[in-house]
Amino acid sequence: MAMDTLVCNLQERKQMLRMMADTEVAKALLSVIERVNVATKARSPEIAALCRQPRLVAVSKTKPKDMIIEAYSAGQRHFGENYVQELVEKGHDEEIIEKCPEIKWHMIGHLQSNKVNKVIGIPNLDCVETVDTAKLATTLNNAVQKRGLDKKLKVFVQVNTSGEERKKSGVHPDNVNELVGHVTKNCPHLTLLGLMTIGAFDHDLSQGPNPDFQTLLKTRAAVCETQCIEPQDVELSMGMSNDFEHAILIGSTNVRVGSTIFGARNYKK
């Protein structure tokens, strides 16, 4: 590439970034991306050797499609939704499909087996981060096969690292190995990306690392040893608006950030 062409491309890129930063969502998104990059560079050499560049999933729960389109226009591609119905509505929205052709949807909330077909039918569905039973994994696998999709569905196994059974979904850490084995051996239409946890919302980092994240790290180590998998081949989805930098520092490769990008959520009364 000629030097003058390269300079021109860089100038166009800078001008595009300035234009994108004219909106509040774009400003917030660019700020989060910068924080992600700073945290990534601050990883220890040992952590850095095991981890890829973190994937930022913008959680658009309760937010209007205009904000999604705005974030997409600013360069964001991965978006997460907690509720099946909201994901279905946004995923099938004609304006989002037209203006965000490369959008990648993540289902990040609890998914019941009887809602699988609705989720699998969403255009540009990229990942289900909440596989917590063999039944759900099998149902997803069969749905992908039945629809004749040309690529495997990416999934994370959700781990309940806090033991709060009433508040949080996920498989117990002691049973993760069995579920991972089921996904990798019995679900040929699924691709296991790694392990996911929600983690405690109110953990005070001044008291030390988030224990839920530490549990996920130990769980990955145990699974990799048993399944003969390299740790760098098992991603970790952990970290949200209040702790994503800490999560990245200790090895997260997938962070889910919502309110820091889009503002406080608007829940219906």
Side-chain angles (χ1 to χ4, degrees), residues 116-131:
V116 162
N117 284 330
K118 288 184 177 182
V119 172
I120 293 299
I122 295 170
N124 295 321
L125 176 68
D126 188 66
C127 182
V128 173
E129 296 199 23
T130 50
V131 174

Side-chain angles (χ1 to χ4, degrees), residues 79-94 96-97 100-101 103-108 111 115-128 140 143-144 147 149-153:
F79 291 82
E81 290 288 339
N82 287 69
Y83 305 119
V84 171
Q85 188 56 39
E86 191 170 3
L87 177 57
V88 169
E89 291 174 359
K90 291 175 178 177
H92 287 283
D93 186 276
E94 293 183 359
I96 291 179
I97 292 175
C100 311
I103 196 169
K104 299 179 187 296
W105 290 111
H106 289 232
M107 178 63 198
I108 62 172
L111 177 60
K115 301 289 181 65
V116 162
N117 284 330
K118 288 184 177 182
V119 172
I120 293 299
I122 295 170
N124 295 321
L125 176 68
D126 188 66
C127 182
V128 173
L140 284 167
V144 173
R147 283 188 174 269
L149 301 181
D150 58 359
K151 63 178 182 179
K152 296 182 178 182
L153 174 66

Side-chain angles (χ1 to χ4, degrees), residues 15 143 194-195 206 237 246 265:
Q15 183 178 4
L195 309 179
S206 68
S237 178
H246 167 63
R265 297 190 177 102

